[in-house]
Amino acid sequence: MMRAPSINNQTLLSDDDFVAQFVARGEVLAKLNRFLRTIPEQGLAEHQVLIGPRGMGKTSLLRRVQILIRAELA
């Protein structure tokens, strides 16, 4: 079954499709991934705040981080 384009609702995409279309924030994703790797398993993590105008991709970036973490834990 073909779904309608999900231009403004990335939750309609499967994880694989989402990753394939994620191109805009690669440098920020890599930086967050490096930062997360520095946190000891039992250590305290500092909060990180993503700030940007509406539609900039903050939620999409967080979904991509989630997918990355799940893939690394599998």
Side-chain angles (χ1 to χ4, degrees):
M1 177 178 189
M2 182 66 101
R3 288 191 173 186
S6 58
I7 295 170
N8 294 317
N9 188 352
Q10 299 299 321
T11 61
L12 297 177
L13 294 173
S14 70
D15 285 353
D16 290 337
D17 289 340
F18 181 82
V19 169
Q21 293 182 19
F22 186 87
V23 295
R25 303 275 175 250
E27 290 180 26
V28 179
L29 175 65
K31 185 175 182 178
L32 280 171
N33 189 29
R34 284 190 305 271
F35 173 77
L36 291 171
R37 289 173 176 276
T38 66
I39 302 168
E41 282 190 39
Q42 301 301 320
L44 295 175
E46 295 180 11
H47 288 86
Q48 301 297 306
V49 178
L50 297 176
I51 299 173
R54 182 177 184 203
M56 188 172 188
K58 299 175 298 293
T59 302
S60 293
L61 176 62
L62 290 176
R63 178 174 180 201
R64 183 62 185 94
V65 168
Q66 177 190 31
I67 293 168
L68 179 68
I69 291 170
R70 271 193 277 149
E72 290 180 358
L73 293 176

